[in-house]
Structure formats: C-alpha cells, structure tokens
Amino acid sequence: MTTTNQSLQTWVDQVAQLTSPDKVVWCDGSDQEYDALVEQMNETGTLSALNQETHPNCFLHLSDPQDVARVEHLTFICTTEKEDAGKNNNWMDISDAKEKMQGLFKNCMNGRTMYVIPYCMGPVDSPYSRCGVEITDSPYVVINMKIMTRMGASALARIERGDPFVKGLHSTGDLDPERRFIMHFPEEYSIMSFGSGYGGNALLGKKCHALRIASWQAREEGWLAEHMLILGLESPEGETHYIAAAFPSACGKTNLAMLIPPESYKDWKIWTLGDDIAWLHMDNEGQLRAVNPEAGYFGVVPGTNAKTNLNAFDMIQRNTIFTNVGQTADGQPWWEDKKEGEPAIDWKGRNYDKNVGPAAHPNSRFTVSATENKAYSELAEAPEGVPISAIVFGGRRRELAPLVYQSKSWQHGVLIGAGVASETTAAATGKVGLVRRDPMAMKPFCGYNFADYWAHWLSFSERSSKLPQIFHVNWFRQDADGRFLWPGFGENMRVLEWIIRRCKGSADAVETAIGYLPTDDGLNLDSVNLNEGDWAALRHVDKEQWLSEMQDVGEYLRSYGDRTPSKLLDEHQRVVNNLSA
Ligand code: TSX
Ligand code: MN
C-alpha cells in the first residue's frame, strides 16, 4: 500500500531514506494484521502467550529492564522561542534537536521493518478528532496502537480527504538510556522519539500527540486537550450527567472512571468514556463537549483487583496485552495485590523470589480495548461528544484539602486547577509523601508555557456563560495515625452525586474562603461507616494551613514571571484576603 496524499508519501520516503529499513509496511489496522504480528512476535520472542484457557488472546511482553517508564528528563519541547515552552518543560533549539535526532535515526532501521501507522485520535467521523501518522520499527507499538487508537484504513481515508496530520517518528534504537530522547516540535506538529519502546515514549498518539502537541493546537484553535477521565453518571430516573476529572498519578483515576456504585446506589450507573485524556470543545451553544481521543486503556496493573476496580479486573481476563507483569506456574498473569493465585515467574522472566523484588514491575501495564469494559459508554463513539456538567480536579493530600469543594466562579476554578498538588507514592517515585505541584495534572504533558496555558483556560469565560462548574476532591485525608478518613472507591459515588446536584442547583452548600462545601447533611451518607468526627474533619477548612498553602501556590504562580495572567494573581489575592478576614 501507498497513499494518494503527496505530503505523506514524501515524508515516508524521506524517513525510509534516512533510516534504511529492509522493508516498509503500511498498516491497515485489520484484525488479520494484528493476529499476524502477534504470531510473528511470538516466534521472535518479543511476545509470549499467556494461559489461553483462562486468558484467551492475552499476551505478555517483557521490556528491557531499563526501559519501563516515561522519561521526563529526556522529554523536550522544541520551539523557536524558549519562553514558549516555559519552565514547566525541557527546551531544546529546533535545529540542535533535529541535528541530534537525524544522527540517531541514520540507518537505525537497518535489518528491520518500518511500519507506517495512520491513526485517528477520537471518533473517525468527529470534527473534534485529529489524525496522525506514526512511523516506527516496533511491532509492539503497532499492536498497541491498534488497541489504543482508530488505526489504519479509516484514518488514512480521513487523511487522504485532506485532514492535516501529526507526523510522529519512532525507533526503539538500541535502548541505550544515553541515546534516548522524546522530542516535540509543536510549531510543525511533529514528534521524534528514539531509544525507548515504553508506552508513553513510543505510542506517540497518547501523551506526545493527544496531550503535548494537542494542547498547543488546542490553544491555537480555541479548545482544551486535558489529562482527564470522562464518565457519565446515570440517576435512577435515567438522567445522565457527564464529568471530566483530572488527577495526578497514583490517585486512582482509572478506578474512578470505572467506579461501581455501592449497594445503596444500586439503581445508579457509572458509564466510562475515558480514563486518561479528554479533548474539550465548545459547541455553538457555548456548551463544553468532551471526546476521548483514545480507543483503549493503557493502565497500571498492580493494585487492580475485584475490590479496587472490578470492571478493569474483569476486562483484562481476555484480549489484553500485558507488559512487565509476573506469571503463575500455569502461565496466568500475576501482579502485586491481585488477591488471586501465586507468582512463579517475575517481570524479568526469572523464577520469582520475594527477597529479590516484586513479581510485576510497579509500572507494569495492560493494553485493552475500551469496548471490553462492562461500563463502556456507547457515546464514546459519538462524533459530537458528551456535554460536560462538571470539571473535577483532585490530589492526594493527607491534610488540608477537604473531601470536596466547589469553586465560586470559572476564574476561581482555574486557580484551583493551577494549584493542584499531590503527595508522591512509592510506586511513582523514590520519595514518599512529598507534596508536588501538578497544575491540572498536566505538569509532564502541557506542550507550552503553563502561564500561557492558564491564560487560555481563563479565556473560556469570555466565550460562554454556560461553562461547567469546577470542583476539587481529595479521597486521601488521613488522621494522625495514618488511618484514611474517607472509605473511597465505590463510596465516592456520594461525592459525585453531590457534585451533580450542585450543578443542577438542588443541593445547599456552606460558603467558605476556599469555596462551597457540603452542609452537614449535604451528602447522602446512608449505610456508610463514617463517624461524626471524621465527617467534620473531611469538611474542615484550617485557615492557618490554607494561608500557608496559598503562600506556596502564590510563589509557584509568580515563578512563571511576567507571563502569569494577572487575573489569576487577582483571584489568588481574593482567596488570601477571604482567608485573612
Ligand atoms: O483508586 C482509589 N480511589 C478512587 C476509586 C474510585 N484508591 C487507590 C489509589 C491508588 C491508585 C484509593 N485509595 C481511594 C479511592 O477513592 N481511597 C484510597 C485510600 C483508602 C485505602 C483503603 C481504604 C480506604 C481508603 N480502606 C480499606 O482498606 C478497608
Ligand atoms: Mn495519564
């Protein structure tokens, strides 16, 4: 196959010239193509079949032990002006970056196959979707892209009708961490990634395109590309409201996206539209609408069990690619906190020894189609997306942040988002319990200067009077002994219900300096085990602690210098004044 799109054909020819692959394969995205690649990878050993009786069509990939996660220190935004990338990004001069990457890509596909992957982020027939083409020498990337995006013939047809596309070039290279770079060129909508086969570095449609490049494009075109889950909450009356929510890592975003309501909410339903990325566009009526650019989940495996996330646990029993998990003696996938079975082999393929390390790498992953989820929303394919009633920010905060509060305005909500911070966990980093700023949960993913990004967020209130309400939640309050005050998981349904009732204007609230909080009887707490002291603590606003927090947020905002929007600093001052009053 080739293409009638001249600029695509020219680029593919140029890349083949540079990288000298043995052959070039245009991917059509068919099931036959997927099955043939899986078979080939099983022969070469890059994939192995898991127990096909218990886990039909499930396969295991073990990565290089040095290539198991995104590499923020090797990820660059290359723009003409350094200030456009901002202090939230590593920056490299465009020609320096290109020269470096040309050197790395030179002849790197010698002896290998070059795959051309046309893909569409979002429903293929949606005006909100955007296309891309990834060129890669990794068959692992091809089979993952097949699950994670709308890949192949349908995307190519859209590109051939004249749709612009992001150019992504990837090679696993020699996996040398010293020769590994993830480069973004937002001004020309292109990406170059070398030296890693890991998801976030190699599946270019996801973080590189749908967040870093798309956030840039979104600012130019007047929309938002966000690190958000999308869920639908259906009441017993059959009314469904949609929520988009942003959380830093290790807050259970995928678990929330697939929440199963508790017994006392048995006539309610949560529908999943996405667990990681939301593209938010304003329609002609001023309503913000969301599409999930992805078609699958690339989720963290450890900790997934029937209690934490039953829908995810069920959906990864079949048609799933596992990366870096352990195995039981009979070839079933195994991971820490699975609560079933015993590990025999670890993620490095060695006999499991609990004194050596975990069976599954803490960042081990499942790749599975969104349609395998029991709570899959049919509207995930709707070209017009879903109307968003509420935007929710969250963080992991042992102290300070109440269970839930609502912003007083859009501008105040943007301040809350810009102030998002979360405590680090063992799984994510070395140090445990450090508070890190992660505005809108976009710290690793915003493709431009955060100050300009906040200004873009603020600009939405000039375009519509029907914007979503903005909230902040914290499932992770603890007492002095480290006991969690809120049961979390399915019980979070109670908070989501309050959020929707606030959007509809049917729930009272207490006004505080930081926003609106639930009244004492504001949340439905029927048959939840929560004592009065804990409930009071979950709604307490400690003025001293908050003043110190706002001091920190203020310093952070001002660290972006002149570009920090004055409207945001005004809003910050308003909250400080209210706290001091
Ligand atoms: O995902 C989580 N959510 C959101 C669920 C919809 N987690 C796991 C975070 C790690 C990825 C949570 N952990 C949540 C939560 O709401 N809350 C907590 C903290 C917690 C842990 C255990 C208990 C209660 C709270 N209770 C018992 O273990 C009995
Ligand atoms: Mn994510």
Side-chain angles (χ1 to χ4, degrees):
M1 198 168 83
T2 52
T3 178
T4 58
N5 182 305
Q6 202 49 58
S7 96
L8 173 56
Q9 187 66 55
T10 304
W11 175 57
V12 170
D13 292 344
Q14 282 168 351
V15 169
Q17 187 83 37
L18 172 68
T19 61
S20 16
D22 281 12
K23 61 174 179 171
V24 177
V25 170
W26 286 72
C27 299
D28 63 14
S30 66
D31 295 343
Q32 294 86 319
E33 176 183 79
Y34 179 91
D35 293 342
L37 276 171
V38 165
E39 195 180 310
Q40 176 205 311
M41 291 170 73
N42 271 299
E43 278 159 20
T44 58
T46 33
L47 219 54
S48 64
L50 289 160
N51 187 322
Q52 296 296 300
E53 310 262 278
T54 57
H55 291 74
N57 206 26
C58 286
F59 299 92
L60 173 64
H61 171 74
L62 301 183
S63 78
D64 183 290
Q66 299 232 69
D67 185 32
V68 294
R70 287 185 293 106
V71 282
E72 282 173 36
H73 64 295
L74 303 174
T75 300
F76 291 80
I77 301 293
C78 308
T79 48
T80 309
E81 302 295 332
K82 182 174 185 188
E83 273 300 298
D84 288 343
K87 62 174 276 255
N88 46 306
N89 283 301
N90 300 312
W91 176 86
M92 200 182 293
D93 173 77
I94 295 173
S95 21
D96 291 353
K98 286 202 173 157
E99 198 180 299
K100 185 186 278 291
M101 297 312 272
Q102 299 276 338
L104 293 171
F105 275 103
K106 182 109 190 97
N107 297 332
C108 74
M109 296 188 191
N110 226 313
R112 306 175 64 101
T113 299
M114 179 177 117
Y115 300 95
V116 181
I117 311 171
Y119 64 87
C120 183
M121 300 311 287
V124 176
D125 52 353
S126 171
Y128 302 146
S129 301
R130 296 291 181 270
C131 287
V133 177
E134 176 166 357
I135 299 181
T136 180
D137 55 9
S138 162
Y140 170 81
V141 165
V142 179
I143 61 172
N144 276 273
M145 287 289 282
K146 152 88 172 164
I147 295 174
M148 295 304 296
T149 73
R150 284 81 171 176
M151 173 188 127
S154 59
L156 183 60
R158 182 168 160 149
I159 290 168
E160 290 184 338
R161 284 195 298 271
D163 211 43
F165 60 95
V166 169
K167 294 184 171 101
L169 174 54
H170 168 256
S171 171
T172 44
D174 41 18
L175 296 175
D176 177 356
E178 299 291 314
R179 289 159 39 86
R180 179 178 296 165
F181 294 97
I182 323 298
M183 302 283 194
H184 302 75
F185 304 92
E187 290 163 14
E188 57 177 56
Y189 297 149
S190 80
I191 305 157
M192 287 179 143
S193 166
F194 189 90
S196 168
Y198 174 78
N201 303 326
L203 311 176
L204 301 185
K206 194 176 175 67
K207 304 300 194 180
C208 300
H209 177 167
L211 286 174
R212 298 195 192 97
I213 299 289
S215 62
W216 179 288
Q217 182 170 26
R219 179 184 45 160
E220 295 199 318
E221 298 176 357
W223 48 282
L224 294 165
E226 297 299 325
H227 191 203
M228 290 176 176
L229 66 85
I230 311 164
L231 63 79
L233 184 154
E234 184 179 338
S235 73
E237 293 76 42
E239 198 179 289
T240 306
H241 287 266
Y242 297 91
I243 295 176
F247 295 84
S249 60
C251 288
K253 202 160 105 190
T254 301
N255 298 342
L256 186 65
M258 299 177 187
L259 179 149
I260 295 176
E263 190 52 36
S264 48
Y265 277 82
K266 64 175 169 39
D267 296 328
W268 295 68
K269 188 90 186 71
I270 294 283
W271 299 104
T272 315
L273 287 106
D275 80 325
D276 198 36
I277 304 177
W279 284 357
L280 307 172
H281 288 256
M282 199 181 284
D283 71 12
N284 295 332
E285 271 77 56
Q287 170 71 53
L288 217 52
R289 308 190 70 90
V291 294
N292 173 11
E294 301 192 283
Y297 308 111
F298 183 70
V300 173
V301 181
T304 305
N305 62 51
K307 285 233 168 72
T308 55
N309 193 336
L310 180 61
N311 282 339
F313 192 71
D314 285 347
M315 83 181 171
I316 60 178
Q317 304 297 319
R318 59 192 177 274
N319 303 333
T320 300
I321 303 167
F322 289 90
T323 301
N324 292 343
V325 298
Q327 284 172 261
T328 63
D330 64 345
Q332 299 188 45
W334 196 90
W335 54 86
E336 276 59 32
D337 272 332
K338 185 180 186 185
K339 314 273 188 201
E340 272 183 33
E342 294 294 332
I345 302 174
D346 74 6
W347 69 278
K348 293 184 179 172
R350 306 170 301 193
N351 288 329
Y352 172 71
D353 178 346
K354 67 177 188 315
N355 300 315
V356 170
H361 187 276
N363 194 35
S364 54
R365 298 281 166 154
F366 55 75
T367 316
V368 65
S369 166
T371 58
E372 296 287 350
N373 175 5
K374 257 201 257 109
Y376 173 73
S377 168
E378 297 287 335
L379 289 179
E381 277 299 327
E384 70 282 10
V386 293
I388 295 297
S389 301
I391 290 175
V392 179
F393 295 113
R396 177 185 272 268
R397 300 299 294 262
R398 195 179 346 205
E399 294 186 278
L400 187 82
L403 177 63
V404 57
Y405 60 102
Q406 179 188 8
S407 81
K408 295 183 181 179
S409 64
W410 179 261
Q411 185 164 317
H412 180 217
V414 176
L415 174 69
I416 291 171
V420 162
S422 204
E423 285 157 18
T424 54
T425 62
T429 59
K431 295 212 172 79
V432 181
L434 290 182
V435 175
R436 283 209 303 211
R437 294 277 148 217
D438 191 354
M440 282 80 170
M442 284 286 277
K443 173 65 190 63
F445 306 120
C446 184
Y448 62 103
N449 192 318
F450 256 151
D452 301 342
Y453 169 79
W454 298 324
H456 181 49
W457 263 83
L458 289 167
S459 74
F460 278 72
S461 62
E462 293 152 24
R463 294 168 55 200
S464 172
S465 52
K466 290 197 298 198
L467 291 170
Q469 294 294 312
I470 300 181
F471 298 81
H472 187 281
V473 299
N474 174 22
W475 318 131
F476 301 95
R477 281 294 292 275
Q478 285 172 258
D479 67 11
D481 302 327
R483 182 183 55 91
F484 286 107
L485 301 186
W486 177 249
F489 300 96
E491 307 299 344
N492 294 336
M493 186 69 194
R494 303 167 191 279
V495 175
L496 299 184
E497 190 210 352
W498 184 79
I499 286 173
I500 293 307
R501 281 197 283 124
R502 284 298 294 168
C503 293
K504 300 207 304 180
S506 63
D508 286 339
V510 179
E511 184 170 356
T512 75
I514 64 162
Y516 298 111
L517 268 75
T519 56
D520 186 41
D521 61 354
L523 238 65
N524 172 10
L525 294 175
D526 290 355
S527 40
V528 66
N529 192 5
L530 189 68
N531 70 51
E532 253 173 63
D534 288 353
W535 176 229
L538 285 164
R539 290 180 306 124
H540 181 63
V541 178
D542 184 309
K543 292 204 171 176
E544 288 310 310
Q545 273 188 355
W546 268 101
L547 275 168
S548 141
E549 173 78 0
M550 291 313 285
Q551 170 83 26
D552 199 63
V553 170
E555 278 165 25
Y556 181 73
L557 298 180
R558 281 190 298 272
S559 74
Y560 285 82
D562 289 349
R563 284 167 92 125
T564 305
S566 56
K567 269 171 89 173
L568 200 57
L569 296 174
D570 293 348
E571 190 61 39
H572 173 263
Q573 193 56 51
R574 237 189 304 281
V575 176
V576 171
N577 293 347
N578 288 341
L579 282 164
S580 317

